[in-house]
Amino acid sequence: MDALTFGSHRLVHLDLKGAPPRLCYFEKLFPLLRSWGATGLLLEWEETFPYTRELTPIGSNGLQGQSSGYTNQEARQLLQMAGDSGLAVIPLVQTFGHMEFVLKHKEWRSLREVEHFPSSMCPSNPGTLLLVKSLIRQIVTFHPDIQYLHIGADEIWHLGLCSVCIKRATSSKHGRSSLYLEHILAIAQFIQDTYPYLKIIIWDDMLRSIDLQVLKEYYVGKYVEPMIWHYSARETFSLPPDLWDKYSSVFPNIWAATAFKGATGSCQHIPIIHHHVSNHERWLEELSTHVNKVHEFRGTAFTGWSRYDHYATMCELLPTAIPSLALCLKVWLHGYTEQIFTEVAKSLGYIEHPLHVTPQPRPAPIPSSLLFPGWQVAVGIEWFLNFKAKFHNVTESEQIRTWMNPWQVANNFTNPMQLESLVPAITNLLLELSSLEGYLKVQMEAMFFPFTIDEWFGTHIEPMKDKLKELKRTTENQLKLGCRT
């Protein structure tokens, strides 16, 4: 089956809670997304959105968000650039789980389901629905031309655990499923009453374990459209066997969600392209088999997670994932062939420097043939990975474990002959690290906010620099002591 029949929407997910790019980057990227086959954006603002009034503290207008979010004017420019490139926008605002960006603030701490955990809201607290309504009002008002709104509602790690929720779940014949569905329907009914033109999307994972008859009893298909997400490669791709029959009997409209980055490791640096291509190929097979059961298959979101949650370290930076995204969009439209792969590689400028399906760190920092926006950062990250391997080869070497382990240093029991060769090796690593740091800072400053740069360097560069400096000091001190004995 031609993949073009699989829905009219091909949304590129922008997860802005990790490394949100500056507008100048989107200005270059959006026209390319359209040329590669994207029809819209699934825009997850989180704390980068310029919330106002009672919600000011959680967004870019708050004290914590001013260094890493978009001003009101910038956010409007972003939407304008998307529209100018022919990309429809579907905003995604979380309304149940993944609420750390709100629940971490003292003003909303009381809405937590579990007092110590800021991830999930309590559906029994009257203040929860008031907060959700405020979030939705501001998001919808800011996006006047939207037809869809994604309300998240995935991965509710803590559901039915507070005393009130336990009592409600115990008294309901459907237990915790009732807590989830009643909260979702309250949100959906508010949206339907206030913005009757909007269609509502939710992630589907919490629905998978709910019995078919329960979903029918709550008429949930009347209000929301599930987006079935699955990010595994072919070898481990596995949706519940009854999922399509179950959903098609409840929901007239269904979506799918693949992944082009952010799904192979919470601290991954470069996408494993063969994994993501395989995920899309397997999804095409899945739809070929089951999509005829659905009244209307709306389309697909190509997700690109930047963090696994609000507090997680950043995974792949968006520029490193552009080759994966371009290839996945083309595979979705035309299937995977060597010709498609070659065409995408050439269009991105991979002529002298091949586009690898698996990560292949390259030592050269500046291949001038690359053409896609942010290639300078992508190449810098490859250089970083290449350096990281050399760093581990020295700092975790057998030489250090054999002749300069902590006990040997503490007891001045080291052999100067073995240590002498370490000093130039460590010095060379420090020099290269300084060059890498200088290169990446210049390139990152052109497309990321200071907070992102500070976090990335503090997470990845500074610990290596500190360890090398300490190792060099220790080695030199041991050599001086050895000369006196």
Side-chain angles (χ1 to χ4, degrees):
M1 183 181 292
D2 187 342
L4 281 169
T5 63
F6 292 151
S8 57
H9 298 280
R10 292 178 295 279
L11 310 173
V12 172
H13 171 232
L14 294 178
D15 178 16
L16 301 178
K17 67 176 176 286
R22 294 182 183 274
L23 292 189
C24 57
Y25 184 75
F26 288 134
E27 190 174 18
K28 298 172 184 175
L29 179 63
F30 286 170
L32 284 175
L33 297 183
R34 193 72 181 94
S35 70
W36 295 335
T39 63
L41 304 174
L42 181 60
L43 204 52
E44 186 164 1
W45 294 97
E46 205 181 83
E47 81 278 15
T48 67
F49 183 76
Y51 287 105
T52 58
R53 300 188 298 278
E54 74 279 8
L55 300 180
T56 297
I58 70 173
S60 59
N61 290 323
L63 292 177
Q64 293 184 15
Q66 289 173 354
S67 62
S68 60
Y70 302 102
T71 65
N72 188 289
Q73 182 181 359
E74 287 172 333
R76 293 196 183 283
Q77 281 182 273
L78 192 158
L79 297 182
Q80 183 64 50
M81 287 190 291
D84 290 345
S85 297
L87 297 170
V89 171
I90 297 179
L92 190 162
V93 56
Q94 288 288 359
T95 56
F96 206 165
H98 288 295
M99 292 296 296
E100 296 94 342
F101 77 107
V102 178
L103 300 183
K104 70 179 183 181
H105 295 277
K106 63 180 186 298
E107 295 94 326
W108 295 282
R109 188 184 181 99
S110 63
L111 301 183
R112 297 177 180 185
E113 178 71 11
V114 178
E115 203 276 335
H116 291 303
F117 303 145
S119 54
S120 305
M121 292 196 294
C122 173
S124 301
N125 190 318
T128 291
L129 194 57
L130 293 175
L131 168 64
V132 169
K133 288 179 179 179
S134 293
L135 289 166
I136 290 172
R137 284 193 194 98
Q138 292 204 24
I139 288 289
V140 174
T141 301
F142 200 84
H143 301 74
D145 301 323
I146 58 173
Q147 298 178 346
Y148 296 90
L149 177 67
H150 199 310
I151 60 170
D154 60 316
E155 298 182 327
I156 318 300
W157 303 125
H158 310 107
L159 177 63
L161 296 179
C162 81
S163 58
V164 180
C165 285
I166 290 172
K167 187 175 181 179
R168 281 181 60 198
T170 303
S171 63
S172 169
K173 64 178 180 177
H174 301 310
R176 293 197 300 170
S177 296
S178 293
L179 297 178
Y180 179 79
L181 291 173
E182 287 169 14
H183 180 68
I184 295 305
L185 292 183
I187 297 168
Q189 286 166 350
F190 161 73
I191 295 171
Q192 197 172 80
D193 292 343
T194 313
Y195 312 103
Y197 56 90
L198 282 181
K199 302 175 183 69
I200 306 164
I201 305 170
I202 64 170
W203 298 117
D204 85 300
D205 55 291
M206 297 297 293
L207 302 172
R208 295 180 195 179
S209 61
I210 300 178
D211 186 76
L212 169 62
Q213 294 308 316
V214 178
L215 294 177
K216 287 186 173 181
E217 183 177 323
Y218 278 87
Y219 297 98
V220 66
K222 176 183 175 184
Y223 296 96
V224 301
E225 302 179 1
M227 182 173 276
I228 305 169
W229 62 271
H230 200 52
Y231 307 145
S232 297
R234 180 188 305 279
E235 299 77 18
T236 54
F237 190 101
S238 179
L239 288 170
D242 65 338
L243 181 137
W244 291 99
D245 290 328
K246 173 180 169 180
Y247 282 1
S248 62
S249 65
V250 176
F251 301 101
N253 308 295
I254 293 177
W255 299 72
T258 62
F260 69 91
K261 83 176 186 80
T264 58
S266 56
C267 53
Q268 185 77 22
H269 285 286
I270 293 180
I272 303 172
I273 293 181
H274 73 84
H275 174 102
H276 296 292
V277 170
S278 176
N279 172 248
H280 287 79
E281 288 184 296
R282 184 62 187 83
W283 255 115
L284 290 174
E285 294 170 4
E286 184 79 8
L287 291 175
S288 294
T289 303
H290 298 289
V291 77
N292 62 324
K293 300 174 183 176
V294 179
H295 173 72
E296 182 177 352
F297 180 75
R298 295 284 200 191
T300 310
F302 296 73
T303 64
W305 301 99
S306 298
R307 301 184 194 271
Y308 276 33
D309 68 34
H310 179 81
Y311 286 106
T313 193
M314 294 181 289
C315 45
E316 303 101 306
L317 299 176
L318 184 56
T320 71
I322 295 306
S324 176
L325 174 56
L327 188 57
C328 288
L329 281 164
K330 290 296 184 181
V331 167
W332 194 259
L333 289 170
H334 307 294
Y336 181 79
T337 64
E338 286 300 321
Q339 181 181 354
I340 291 292
F341 181 84
T342 301
E343 288 177 0
V344 171
K346 286 184 176 179
S347 72
L348 298 175
Y350 285 97
I351 300 171
E352 300 171 9
H353 303 267
L355 170 60
H356 295 282
V357 175
T358 54
Q360 300 285 334
R362 297 187 288 272
I366 310 179
S368 58
S369 61
L370 297 186
L371 303 173
F372 61 91
W375 66 263
Q376 300 94 333
V377 168
V379 168
I381 299 300
E382 289 188 340
W383 182 5
F384 160 74
L385 291 177
N386 182 277
F387 175 84
K388 191 176 179 182
K390 291 190 284 186
F391 168 83
H392 285 301
N393 285 341
V394 171
T395 60
E396 298 175 13
S397 66
E398 197 169 90
Q399 184 178 8
I400 286 180
R401 288 180 297 172
T402 304
W403 282 283
M404 206 175 74
N405 66 46
W407 183 90
Q408 290 167 317
V409 171
N411 290 276
N412 188 27
F413 193 71
T414 55
N415 186 342
M417 181 184 74
Q418 292 292 340
L419 303 192
E420 278 191 347
S421 62
L422 281 174
V423 175
I426 296 168
T427 301
N428 287 337
L429 283 177
L430 281 166
L431 287 171
E432 183 179 353
L433 185 58
S434 178
S435 296
L436 170 62
E437 183 177 17
Y439 172 80
L440 268 175
K441 274 191 174 175
V442 169
Q443 302 306 331
M444 284 189 175
E445 284 170 357
M447 62 188 69
F448 295 120
F449 295 106
F451 182 87
T452 294
I453 298 168
D454 180 66
E455 179 185 348
W456 196 91
F457 278 84
T459 301
H460 302 294
I461 299 295
E462 294 301 327
M464 288 197 295
K465 186 192 298 183
D466 291 343
K467 186 166 184 175
L468 287 172
K469 286 181 176 179
E470 177 60 30
L471 192 57
K472 185 179 181 183
R473 278 194 299 269
T474 301
T475 307
E476 290 173 340
N477 288 338
Q478 286 298 304
L479 284 170
K480 289 176 184 176
L481 289 171
C483 291
R484 298 193 193 109
T485 58

